[in-house]
Amino acid sequence: MDKTLITFLFLIYIALLLPSPSTSQNTFNCSRATFYGSPNCPPSYRGACGYGELGREIYGSDVAAAHRLYRGGAGCGACYQVRCANPELCSADGVDVVITDFGIGDDTDFILSARAYAKLAQPYLAARLMAYGVLDIEYRRIACKYPGYNMMIKIKENSNYPSYLAIIIIYRAGQKDIIDIEIWQEDCKAWRKMRKPYGDVWDMENPPRGVPLTLRCLIDGVDGQKWVLLDAAIPSDWQAGAAYDASLQLD
């Protein structure tokens, strides 16, 4: 066999062995979706992620509960493009949603808010689409977008100054998960781990007192893991229910 042909075939073989350059950002996965509530009468909301009423209102109320994508709470705050497959009823782009709750439907990965579910439809066809109840859909993870917002640290209402601190980091842009949070203990010159009791909530008994709190977050994304420093992000006199600007974004 001609050496040039052998070399050509060898290069093709190597190319086939190499991983595809496509990522989860541009690959759709097949699943099913249903909805809760109604477009005109949204339900009261608590949510397994710990966002409280914000979990119903954030992202323009285009929110969803997830099953497998909840990932023990690591999936809270992740954004997805969801679209259904019926071209007669469904829009081509579907809807972008953020995960704020855990839920198990009829073999579904998403339980969408009624508002988000209606956006799957072409104009004026939402009522017909919602009559189906459960739809075959496809989805992909996308970067969250919060124009005009920095990431913020929300102090949970059950926090008790100064002995118990529980937080949620909200308005996280980009396509990254927070998998660890630590607080700097100045008197010990060491980082102390926060606990993750449920959902997207991080807490600590007896946090440092009398000084602004510096945090660092371990971020996991398509480009790997890295620590992000939030210097003096929480004031020394923090208050339960308050939200503090982290002065940066993750995207």
Short mmCIF file of all heavy atoms in Angstrom, two decimals, residues 40-92:
data_model
loop_
_atom_site.label_atom_id
_atom_site.label_comp_id
_atom_site.label_asym_id
_atom_site.label_seq_id
_atom_site.Cartn_x
_atom_site.Cartn_y
_atom_site.Cartn_z
N ASN A 40 -51.86 32.58 35.96
CA ASN A 40 -52.53 33.71 36.58
C ASN A 40 -52.54 33.67 38.10
O ASN A 40 -52.85 34.66 38.75
CB ASN A 40 -53.99 33.77 36.09
CG ASN A 40 -54.07 33.94 34.59
OD1 ASN A 40 -53.29 34.69 34.01
ND2 ASN A 40 -55.00 33.24 33.95
N CYS A 41 -52.18 32.53 38.69
CA CYS A 41 -52.25 32.39 40.14
C CYS A 41 -51.06 31.58 40.63
O CYS A 41 -51.20 30.40 40.96
CB CYS A 41 -53.56 31.73 40.55
SG CYS A 41 -53.83 31.73 42.34
N PRO A 42 -49.87 32.18 40.68
CA PRO A 42 -48.70 31.43 41.12
C PRO A 42 -48.84 31.00 42.58
O PRO A 42 -49.38 31.75 43.40
CB PRO A 42 -47.56 32.44 40.94
CG PRO A 42 -48.20 33.77 40.96
CD PRO A 42 -49.56 33.58 40.36
N PRO A 43 -48.36 29.80 42.92
CA PRO A 43 -48.52 29.29 44.28
C PRO A 43 -47.54 29.94 45.23
O PRO A 43 -46.55 30.56 44.83
CB PRO A 43 -48.20 27.80 44.11
CG PRO A 43 -47.22 27.78 42.98
CD PRO A 43 -47.66 28.87 42.04
N SER A 44 -47.84 29.82 46.54
CA SER A 44 -46.84 30.22 47.52
C SER A 44 -45.65 29.28 47.39
O SER A 44 -45.77 28.18 46.86
CB SER A 44 -47.42 30.14 48.94
OG SER A 44 -47.83 28.82 49.22
N TYR A 45 -44.48 29.73 47.86
CA TYR A 45 -43.27 29.00 47.49
C TYR A 45 -42.33 28.92 48.68
O TYR A 45 -42.13 29.87 49.41
CB TYR A 45 -42.57 29.73 46.34
CG TYR A 45 -41.41 28.97 45.76
CD1 TYR A 45 -41.60 28.05 44.74
CD2 TYR A 45 -40.12 29.16 46.26
CE1 TYR A 45 -40.53 27.34 44.21
CE2 TYR A 45 -39.06 28.46 45.74
CZ TYR A 45 -39.27 27.55 44.71
OH TYR A 45 -38.21 26.85 44.20
N ARG A 46 -41.74 27.74 48.89
CA ARG A 46 -40.66 27.57 49.86
C ARG A 46 -39.43 27.07 49.12
O ARG A 46 -38.46 27.75 49.01
CB ARG A 46 -41.09 26.62 50.97
CG ARG A 46 -42.29 27.14 51.76
CD ARG A 46 -42.60 26.27 52.94
NE ARG A 46 -41.47 26.22 53.86
CZ ARG A 46 -41.61 26.24 55.16
NH1 ARG A 46 -42.80 26.32 55.68
NH2 ARG A 46 -40.57 26.17 55.95
N GLY A 47 -39.48 25.85 48.60
CA GLY A 47 -38.42 25.38 47.73
C GLY A 47 -37.27 24.71 48.46
O GLY A 47 -36.78 25.20 49.48
N ALA A 48 -36.81 23.58 47.92
CA ALA A 48 -35.76 22.79 48.55
C ALA A 48 -34.38 23.44 48.45
O ALA A 48 -33.47 23.06 49.19
CB ALA A 48 -35.71 21.40 47.90
N CYS A 49 -34.21 24.41 47.55
CA CYS A 49 -32.90 25.07 47.43
C CYS A 49 -32.66 26.08 48.54
O CYS A 49 -31.52 26.47 48.78
CB CYS A 49 -32.78 25.74 46.07
SG CYS A 49 -32.58 24.59 44.69
N GLY A 50 -33.74 26.53 49.20
CA GLY A 50 -33.58 27.47 50.30
C GLY A 50 -33.69 28.93 49.91
O GLY A 50 -33.37 29.82 50.71
N TYR A 51 -34.19 29.23 48.70
CA TYR A 51 -34.26 30.62 48.25
C TYR A 51 -35.47 31.37 48.80
O TYR A 51 -35.55 32.58 48.65
CB TYR A 51 -34.33 30.68 46.72
CG TYR A 51 -33.10 30.15 46.02
CD1 TYR A 51 -33.20 29.43 44.84
CD2 TYR A 51 -31.83 30.38 46.52
CE1 TYR A 51 -32.08 28.94 44.18
CE2 TYR A 51 -30.71 29.91 45.88
CZ TYR A 51 -30.83 29.19 44.71
OH TYR A 51 -29.72 28.71 44.07
N GLY A 52 -36.42 30.68 49.40
CA GLY A 52 -37.64 31.34 49.84
C GLY A 52 -38.42 31.89 48.66
O GLY A 52 -38.38 31.33 47.56
N GLU A 53 -39.12 33.00 48.87
CA GLU A 53 -39.94 33.56 47.80
C GLU A 53 -39.12 34.00 46.59
O GLU A 53 -39.63 34.05 45.48
CB GLU A 53 -40.76 34.74 48.33
CG GLU A 53 -41.99 34.34 49.11
CD GLU A 53 -42.98 33.54 48.27
OE1 GLU A 53 -43.32 34.00 47.16
OE2 GLU A 53 -43.41 32.47 48.71
N LEU A 54 -37.84 34.27 46.79
CA LEU A 54 -36.98 34.63 45.66
C LEU A 54 -36.93 33.49 44.65
O LEU A 54 -36.80 33.73 43.45
CB LEU A 54 -35.57 34.95 46.14
CG LEU A 54 -34.56 35.35 45.07
CD1 LEU A 54 -34.97 36.67 44.39
CD2 LEU A 54 -33.16 35.47 45.65
N GLY A 55 -37.08 32.26 45.12
CA GLY A 55 -37.05 31.11 44.23
C GLY A 55 -38.23 31.05 43.29
O GLY A 55 -38.21 30.31 42.30
N ARG A 56 -39.26 31.82 43.55
CA ARG A 56 -40.41 31.90 42.64
C ARG A 56 -40.30 33.09 41.70
O ARG A 56 -40.84 33.07 40.59
CB ARG A 56 -41.70 32.02 43.47
CG ARG A 56 -42.98 32.10 42.64
CD ARG A 56 -44.21 31.96 43.52
NE ARG A 56 -44.32 33.00 44.51
CZ ARG A 56 -44.89 34.18 44.30
NH1 ARG A 56 -45.37 34.47 43.12
NH2 ARG A 56 -44.96 35.07 45.26
N GLU A 57 -39.57 34.13 42.12
CA GLU A 57 -39.56 35.39 41.39
C GLU A 57 -38.30 35.60 40.56
O GLU A 57 -38.31 36.37 39.59
CB GLU A 57 -39.69 36.54 42.39
CG GLU A 57 -40.96 36.48 43.21
CD GLU A 57 -40.91 37.38 44.42
OE1 GLU A 57 -39.84 38.02 44.65
OE2 GLU A 57 -41.92 37.46 45.16
N ILE A 58 -37.19 34.94 40.93
CA ILE A 58 -35.93 35.17 40.25
C ILE A 58 -36.02 34.76 38.79
O ILE A 58 -36.87 33.95 38.41
CB ILE A 58 -34.80 34.39 40.97
CG1 ILE A 58 -33.42 34.94 40.62
CG2 ILE A 58 -34.89 32.90 40.69
CD1 ILE A 58 -32.30 34.39 41.48
N TYR A 59 -35.19 35.34 37.96
CA TYR A 59 -35.13 35.02 36.52
C TYR A 59 -36.46 35.31 35.83
O TYR A 59 -36.89 34.58 34.93
CB TYR A 59 -34.73 33.56 36.33
CG TYR A 59 -33.61 33.35 35.33
CD1 TYR A 59 -32.37 33.94 35.49
CD2 TYR A 59 -33.80 32.55 34.20
CE1 TYR A 59 -31.34 33.75 34.59
CE2 TYR A 59 -32.78 32.35 33.28
CZ TYR A 59 -31.56 32.96 33.48
OH TYR A 59 -30.54 32.77 32.57
N GLY A 60 -37.15 36.35 36.29
CA GLY A 60 -38.44 36.68 35.71
C GLY A 60 -39.50 35.63 35.94
O GLY A 60 -40.46 35.50 35.17
N SER A 61 -39.35 34.86 37.01
CA SER A 61 -40.24 33.75 37.37
C SER A 61 -40.17 32.57 36.41
O SER A 61 -41.03 31.68 36.44
CB SER A 61 -41.70 34.23 37.51
OG SER A 61 -41.83 35.14 38.58
N ASP A 62 -39.15 32.54 35.55
CA ASP A 62 -38.92 31.37 34.70
C ASP A 62 -38.02 30.41 35.48
O ASP A 62 -36.80 30.39 35.33
CB ASP A 62 -38.26 31.79 33.38
CG ASP A 62 -39.19 32.59 32.50
OD1 ASP A 62 -40.42 32.43 32.64
OD2 ASP A 62 -38.71 33.40 31.69
N VAL A 63 -38.68 29.65 36.36
CA VAL A 63 -37.96 28.79 37.30
C VAL A 63 -38.47 27.36 37.16
O VAL A 63 -39.49 27.09 36.52
CB VAL A 63 -38.14 29.27 38.76
CG1 VAL A 63 -37.59 30.68 38.92
CG2 VAL A 63 -39.61 29.23 39.18
N ALA A 64 -37.73 26.43 37.76
CA ALA A 64 -38.11 25.02 37.66
C ALA A 64 -37.62 24.26 38.87
O ALA A 64 -36.61 24.60 39.49
CB ALA A 64 -37.52 24.41 36.38
N ALA A 65 -38.36 23.21 39.19
CA ALA A 65 -37.87 22.18 40.10
C ALA A 65 -37.23 21.08 39.26
O ALA A 65 -37.68 20.81 38.14
CB ALA A 65 -39.02 21.61 40.93
N ALA A 66 -36.19 20.47 39.78
CA ALA A 66 -35.47 19.44 39.03
C ALA A 66 -35.43 18.15 39.83
O ALA A 66 -35.55 18.16 41.06
CB ALA A 66 -34.05 19.90 38.72
N HIS A 67 -35.25 17.05 39.14
CA HIS A 67 -35.11 15.75 39.78
C HIS A 67 -33.64 15.35 39.77
O HIS A 67 -32.89 15.69 40.68
CB HIS A 67 -36.01 14.72 39.07
CG HIS A 67 -35.95 13.36 39.68
ND1 HIS A 67 -36.35 12.22 39.00
CD2 HIS A 67 -35.51 12.93 40.89
CE1 HIS A 67 -36.17 11.17 39.78
NE2 HIS A 67 -35.67 11.58 40.93
N ARG A 68 -33.19 14.67 38.73
CA ARG A 68 -31.79 14.25 38.67
C ARG A 68 -30.84 15.44 38.61
O ARG A 68 -29.73 15.39 39.14
CB ARG A 68 -31.56 13.34 37.46
CG ARG A 68 -32.15 11.95 37.63
CD ARG A 68 -32.14 11.16 36.35
NE ARG A 68 -33.06 11.72 35.36
CZ ARG A 68 -33.33 11.15 34.20
NH1 ARG A 68 -32.73 10.03 33.86
NH2 ARG A 68 -34.18 11.71 33.36
N LEU A 69 -31.27 16.53 37.99
CA LEU A 69 -30.40 17.70 37.85
C LEU A 69 -30.27 18.50 39.14
O LEU A 69 -29.46 19.41 39.22
CB LEU A 69 -30.93 18.60 36.73
CG LEU A 69 -30.94 17.97 35.33
CD1 LEU A 69 -31.64 18.88 34.34
CD2 LEU A 69 -29.52 17.66 34.87
N TYR A 70 -31.05 18.14 40.16
CA TYR A 70 -30.93 18.80 41.47
C TYR A 70 -29.58 18.48 42.11
O TYR A 70 -28.98 19.31 42.77
CB TYR A 70 -32.07 18.33 42.36
CG TYR A 70 -32.08 18.94 43.74
CD1 TYR A 70 -32.49 20.25 43.94
CD2 TYR A 70 -31.70 18.19 44.86
CE1 TYR A 70 -32.51 20.81 45.21
CE2 TYR A 70 -31.73 18.73 46.13
CZ TYR A 70 -32.13 20.04 46.30
OH TYR A 70 -32.14 20.58 47.57
N ARG A 71 -29.10 17.28 41.91
CA ARG A 71 -27.76 16.85 42.32
C ARG A 71 -27.46 17.15 43.79
O ARG A 71 -26.43 17.69 44.15
CB ARG A 71 -26.69 17.49 41.44
CG ARG A 71 -26.76 17.04 39.98
CD ARG A 71 -25.66 17.64 39.13
NE ARG A 71 -25.93 19.02 38.81
CZ ARG A 71 -25.08 20.03 39.02
NH1 ARG A 71 -23.90 19.80 39.55
NH2 ARG A 71 -25.40 21.26 38.68
N GLY A 72 -28.42 16.77 44.65
CA GLY A 72 -28.21 16.97 46.07
C GLY A 72 -28.07 18.42 46.48
O GLY A 72 -27.52 18.75 47.53
N GLY A 73 -28.59 19.32 45.67
CA GLY A 73 -28.51 20.75 45.93
C GLY A 73 -27.44 21.46 45.12
O GLY A 73 -27.48 22.68 44.98
N ALA A 74 -26.47 20.71 44.58
CA ALA A 74 -25.42 21.34 43.77
C ALA A 74 -25.98 21.96 42.50
O ALA A 74 -25.39 22.88 41.94
CB ALA A 74 -24.34 20.31 43.41
N GLY A 75 -27.15 21.46 42.04
CA GLY A 75 -27.76 21.99 40.83
C GLY A 75 -28.58 23.24 41.05
O GLY A 75 -29.06 23.85 40.08
N CYS A 76 -28.77 23.64 42.31
CA CYS A 76 -29.53 24.87 42.57
C CYS A 76 -28.81 26.07 41.96
O CYS A 76 -27.59 26.23 42.10
CB CYS A 76 -29.67 25.08 44.07
SG CYS A 76 -30.69 23.86 44.92
N GLY A 77 -29.57 26.91 41.26
CA GLY A 77 -28.99 28.09 40.63
C GLY A 77 -28.48 27.85 39.23
O GLY A 77 -28.07 28.81 38.56
N ALA A 78 -28.48 26.60 38.76
CA ALA A 78 -28.04 26.30 37.39
C ALA A 78 -29.14 26.66 36.40
O ALA A 78 -30.33 26.52 36.69
CB ALA A 78 -27.67 24.83 37.25
N CYS A 79 -28.75 27.12 35.22
CA CYS A 79 -29.71 27.54 34.20
C CYS A 79 -29.70 26.57 33.02
O CYS A 79 -28.65 26.03 32.66
CB CYS A 79 -29.39 28.94 33.72
SG CYS A 79 -29.60 30.22 34.98
N TYR A 80 -30.88 26.39 32.42
CA TYR A 80 -31.04 25.46 31.31
C TYR A 80 -31.94 26.07 30.24
O TYR A 80 -32.88 26.80 30.55
CB TYR A 80 -31.67 24.14 31.78
CG TYR A 80 -30.78 23.36 32.70
CD1 TYR A 80 -30.81 23.58 34.07
CD2 TYR A 80 -29.90 22.39 32.21
CE1 TYR A 80 -29.98 22.87 34.93
CE2 TYR A 80 -29.07 21.67 33.06
CZ TYR A 80 -29.12 21.92 34.42
OH TYR A 80 -28.29 21.21 35.25
N GLN A 81 -31.62 25.75 28.99
CA GLN A 81 -32.55 26.01 27.90
C GLN A 81 -33.39 24.76 27.71
O GLN A 81 -32.85 23.66 27.56
CB GLN A 81 -31.80 26.34 26.60
CG GLN A 81 -32.74 26.62 25.42
CD GLN A 81 -31.99 26.77 24.10
OE1 GLN A 81 -30.77 26.63 24.05
NE2 GLN A 81 -32.73 27.06 23.04
N VAL A 82 -34.70 24.91 27.74
CA VAL A 82 -35.63 23.80 27.59
C VAL A 82 -36.53 24.09 26.40
O VAL A 82 -37.06 25.20 26.27
CB VAL A 82 -36.49 23.62 28.86
CG1 VAL A 82 -37.45 22.44 28.70
CG2 VAL A 82 -35.61 23.41 30.09
N ARG A 83 -36.70 23.12 25.53
CA ARG A 83 -37.61 23.30 24.40
C ARG A 83 -38.30 21.97 24.10
O ARG A 83 -37.74 20.90 24.33
CB ARG A 83 -36.86 23.80 23.17
CG ARG A 83 -35.79 22.87 22.62
CD ARG A 83 -34.95 23.55 21.55
NE ARG A 83 -34.06 22.60 20.88
CZ ARG A 83 -33.10 22.94 20.03
NH1 ARG A 83 -32.91 24.22 19.74
NH2 ARG A 83 -32.34 22.03 19.45
N CYS A 84 -39.53 22.04 23.61
CA CYS A 84 -40.27 20.82 23.30
C CYS A 84 -40.22 20.54 21.80
O CYS A 84 -39.82 21.39 20.99
CB CYS A 84 -41.71 20.89 23.80
SG CYS A 84 -42.66 22.32 23.26
N ALA A 85 -40.62 19.33 21.45
CA ALA A 85 -40.30 18.81 20.11
C ALA A 85 -41.44 18.90 19.11
O ALA A 85 -41.27 18.47 17.97
CB ALA A 85 -39.85 17.36 20.24
N ASN A 86 -42.60 19.43 19.49
CA ASN A 86 -43.75 19.49 18.60
C ASN A 86 -43.71 20.82 17.82
O ASN A 86 -44.06 21.86 18.36
CB ASN A 86 -45.05 19.39 19.40
CG ASN A 86 -46.28 19.32 18.52
OD1 ASN A 86 -46.27 19.77 17.38
ND2 ASN A 86 -47.34 18.76 19.05
N PRO A 87 -43.30 20.81 16.55
CA PRO A 87 -43.14 22.07 15.82
C PRO A 87 -44.46 22.80 15.57
O PRO A 87 -44.46 24.00 15.29
CB PRO A 87 -42.48 21.64 14.50
CG PRO A 87 -42.86 20.21 14.33
CD PRO A 87 -42.96 19.64 15.71
N GLU A 88 -45.59 22.07 15.65
CA GLU A 88 -46.88 22.72 15.43
C GLU A 88 -47.27 23.60 16.61
O GLU A 88 -48.01 24.57 16.44
CB GLU A 88 -47.96 21.67 15.18
CG GLU A 88 -47.76 20.87 13.90
CD GLU A 88 -48.88 19.88 13.67
OE1 GLU A 88 -49.80 19.82 14.52
OE2 GLU A 88 -48.84 19.16 12.66
N LEU A 89 -46.80 23.25 17.82
CA LEU A 89 -47.18 23.99 19.01
C LEU A 89 -46.02 24.73 19.67
O LEU A 89 -46.23 25.73 20.35
CB LEU A 89 -47.80 23.03 20.05
CG LEU A 89 -49.13 22.38 19.69
CD1 LEU A 89 -49.52 21.39 20.78
CD2 LEU A 89 -50.21 23.44 19.52
N CYS A 90 -44.82 24.23 19.49
CA CYS A 90 -43.68 24.69 20.29
C CYS A 90 -42.83 25.71 19.56
O CYS A 90 -42.63 25.62 18.35
CB CYS A 90 -42.80 23.51 20.69
SG CYS A 90 -43.68 22.27 21.66
N SER A 91 -42.29 26.66 20.31
CA SER A 91 -41.36 27.63 19.75
C SER A 91 -40.00 26.96 19.55
O SER A 91 -39.67 25.97 20.20
CB SER A 91 -41.21 28.83 20.68
OG SER A 91 -40.57 28.45 21.88
N ALA A 92 -39.22 27.52 18.64
CA ALA A 92 -37.92 26.92 18.33
C ALA A 92 -36.92 27.10 19.46
O ALA A 92 -36.09 26.23 19.71
CB ALA A 92 -37.36 27.53 17.04
#
